[in-house]
Amino acid sequence: MRLALVSESFPPDVNGVAHCALQTARHLVRRGHDPLVIAPEAPAAADAPSWGTDLDVPCPVVRIPSVPLPGYRQVRVALPTRRLTPVLAEHGTELVHLAAPFVLGARGMSAAARLGLPTVAVYQTDLATYARTYLGAGTALTWRRLRAVHRRADRTLAPSLAAASDLAEHGIPRVRLWARGVDAQRFQPGHRDEALRRELAPNGELLAGYVGRLAPEKHVALLREVCAEAGIRVVVTGDGPSEGALRAALPGAHFTGRLTGAGLARLFASLDVFVHTGPYETFCQTVQEAMASGVPVVAPASGGPLDLVAHERTGLLVPPHDAEAVRAAVNRLRDPALRTRYGAAARSAVERRSWERIGDELLEHYSEVLTEAAAEKATPHGARHVSDSQRRWKPDRPPPVRTRTAPPGTATPATPPTAASPRAARH
C-alpha cells in the first residue's frame, strides 16, 4: 500500500505528534508498505528535503517551508503551498493519513479530495488550548477549523475516550479509538540507575519528576508545593518557552534540560514518582513511558490520563489545577510498599502495548476505510457507505459511562477526584 503521512510535526521535533508519525512510518515500512511523509521543514534543516539515517527515518520526507509559532519558536507552522497535490500524485498515494491536521493537514485534505483519495485524520492535540494560549484566538474559531477538516475525513481516530467525547460533542462524525504504543524494552525498571539517583538526591530524598515540554499549557508550576516539602527532590526534564519562569517558580528543583534515548530511559526508571501536571492531554505519552518504567504516576483526572492511570492501583488522579492535591498525592507515595505495588501494576498495565500492536490496529483502520471507499464508489450517487455500527461515537450519542466503586473498607474512594471544569472527565 502506498500511503502519505501529512503531519503537522515530525522529528527532529520532540513532541507526541512527531513521535507518533515516526513510529507509524517505521511500522508501515516493516510491514512492507510504501509511506511518504510530508511535514513542515525543521528549523535547522531549511534546505534539506529529508534528514539522514541518524534518526532512523525509513522513508522519503518532503519538507514544506514553515515559520515558527508566535510565542513558541520550537513549533513550526507550514506556509501555504500547492505542492501537495503533485507530490501525492507522483507518489501514487492510495490513502492519506493526516496527523493532527490543522494547517498543513487541511491542505493535505484538500489535495486528497482533488485526487479522490480516502483519508484518515488522527486527532492528537488540544489545539483549542494552544490557540488560546499562544495566539489569543477563541476556542470556537479553532473548533470550527477542526470540524471543517475532520468532517471531510473518512475516519477520525481519537487516542482516548475523553478525546473521542470532545470530538463528538463538537459535531465530528465517524470517530474511532486508536491509542498509542510504548517501547517497553527501552522504558523498563531495569534501567534504574543508583549513581544517577545519588547525583539527583544526594541525601536520599524521594525523587518526584516531570518529563515533557516546558510550556504554559503544561502547568508545571503546580509542582511548587512539592518543591517546598522536606525530603523530596523535584526533577524537571524538558525544554520550552516557560523554562526561565519555571526555574524561578520552582526553587530547589533540578532541571536536566531535554533528554532522549538511553538517558531519558534511565531518568524515568530512576524516579520514585512521576508527576504530570497538564490538564489538556489528549493521550499523554510520558505517563505511559513512566508506567512502563515501573514508576507510579500522579496525574490530573482529565483527558488522556483517565484511560491510562487506574486510580489507587497504578497511581493517583487529582483534580486539575490543584497544587495542594499534587503535593498530597506525592506525599502519600512516600510509602515504599505503596510505590512498589503501584509501580508493578503500572508496568503490567502497559508492557504489552507495543508500537507493533498499535501499528497493526492502524492498518486495520486503513483497510476498513479503503473497503468503505471502494463500496462508496460502487454505490449509486456515491453515497457514503458507513453504517451506524461502524460509527463508534456520534454527536447525539455520548461515549459509555465508566464508573469505579471503592473497595470495601477503604477510607479514600477509588473513584478519581474531578473538578467542575469543562476539561474534566466526561465519562
Side-chain angles (χ1 to χ4, degrees):
M1 192 188 321
R2 301 179 74 82
L3 301 115
L5 276 65
V6 181
S7 182
E8 301 288 344
S9 184
F10 197 71
D13 297 344
V14 179
N15 57 58
V17 174
H19 181 65
C20 184
L22 177 60
Q23 292 291 345
T24 299
R26 287 174 175 170
H27 186 74
L28 291 172
V29 171
R30 284 195 298 266
R31 289 290 187 257
H33 301 289
D34 185 5
L36 169 73
V37 172
I38 303 173
E41 69 182 8
D47 299 322
S50 63
W51 26 267
T53 58
D54 55 323
L55 289 172
D56 190 22
V57 182
C59 64
V61 180
V62 175
R63 293 288 186 175
I64 303 300
S66 64
V67 295
L69 181 72
Y72 197 166
R73 296 190 60 83
Q74 293 96 326
V75 176
R76 309 287 296 188
V77 179
L79 292 170
T81 180
R82 297 181 179 179
R83 293 181 59 194
L84 270 62
T85 301
V87 165
L88 297 179
E90 182 179 353
H91 175 246
T93 300
E94 299 169 69
L95 182 144
V96 178
H97 171 128
L98 304 166
F102 194 70
V103 178
L104 185 60
R107 298 182 190 115
M109 177 67 77
S110 296
R114 288 189 207 99
L115 297 170
L117 300 174
T119 54
V120 172
V122 181
Y123 178 71
Q124 294 180 250
T125 306
D126 185 349
L127 290 170
T129 296
Y130 272 62
R132 185 174 63 246
T133 301
Y134 295 106
L135 304 177
T139 58
L141 180 64
T142 304
W143 274 109
R144 190 154 57 243
R145 171 79 168 188
L146 287 170
R147 274 194 298 273
V149 177
H150 283 274
R151 279 180 169 174
R152 298 172 68 189
D154 292 274
R155 180 168 298 186
T156 287
L157 301 179
S160 64
L161 286 168
S165 178
D166 273 350
L167 292 166
E169 287 178 10
H170 286 90
I172 294 172
R174 298 179 295 281
V175 177
R176 303 284 290 274
L177 272 179
W178 180 58
R180 301 292 176 267
V182 65
D183 186 340
Q185 293 302 310
R186 177 184 173 194
F187 297 103
Q188 59 166 293
H191 292 315
R192 189 175 178 89
D193 188 328
E194 293 302 327
L196 176 60
R197 287 182 53 79
R198 287 192 297 271
E199 177 187 339
L200 297 174
N203 298 313
E205 298 95 333
L206 182 89
L207 282 179
Y210 165 87
V211 177
R213 289 183 294 106
L214 307 185
E217 72 277 7
K218 299 298 184 180
H219 293 271
V220 184
L222 290 171
L223 290 168
R224 61 184 178 273
E225 301 296 332
V226 181
C227 285
E229 287 288 308
I232 298 178
R233 186 72 187 277
V234 171
V235 180
V236 177
T237 296
D239 58 14
S242 296
E243 182 173 350
L246 288 171
R247 286 181 179 272
L250 303 176
H254 181 87
F255 287 76
T256 69
R258 180 192 296 183
L259 294 178
T260 59
L264 179 61
R266 282 195 301 273
L267 185 282
F268 266 119
S270 299
L271 296 174
D272 294 308
V273 180
F274 178 75
V275 185
H276 187 80
T277 51
Y280 306 120
E281 302 297 323
T282 59
F283 184 74
C284 202
Q285 182 68 1
T286 55
V287 163
Q288 191 166 237
E289 291 167 351
M291 293 173 68
S293 303
V295 178
V297 172
V298 173
S302 65
L306 284 166
D307 283 9
L308 295 171
V309 181
H311 185 61
E312 295 193 328
R313 191 170 72 84
T314 64
L316 298 171
L317 293 169
V318 300
H321 307 287
D322 191 333
E324 174 58 28
V326 173
R327 181 200 64 78
V330 174
N331 269 324
R332 188 174 170 195
L333 289 170
R334 287 179 187 262
D335 180 351
L338 191 62
R339 293 200 307 274
T340 297
R341 186 166 75 248
Y342 284 5
R347 169 73 182 180
S348 178
V350 303
E351 63 183 336
R352 293 181 179 85
R353 297 180 189 171
S354 67
W355 279 107
E356 181 178 36
R357 174 181 168 185
I358 295 299
D360 284 344
E361 289 179 7
L362 180 61
L363 286 170
E364 290 178 10
H365 286 294
Y366 290 164
S367 178
E368 290 174 8
V369 166
L370 287 167
T371 299
E372 291 164 8
E376 180 180 338
K377 288 181 179 179
T379 302
H381 311 299
R384 183 180 292 279
H385 189 71
V386 181
S387 68
D388 283 348
S389 65
Q390 291 171 306
R391 301 175 189 232
R392 187 163 299 184
W393 286 280
K394 297 189 296 182
D396 60 346
R397 185 174 67 194
V401 174
R402 299 186 306 157
T403 59
R404 298 187 180 100
T405 303
T410 55
T412 304
T415 301
T418 58
S421 161
R423 297 300 313 173
R426 297 181 178 91
H427 53 279

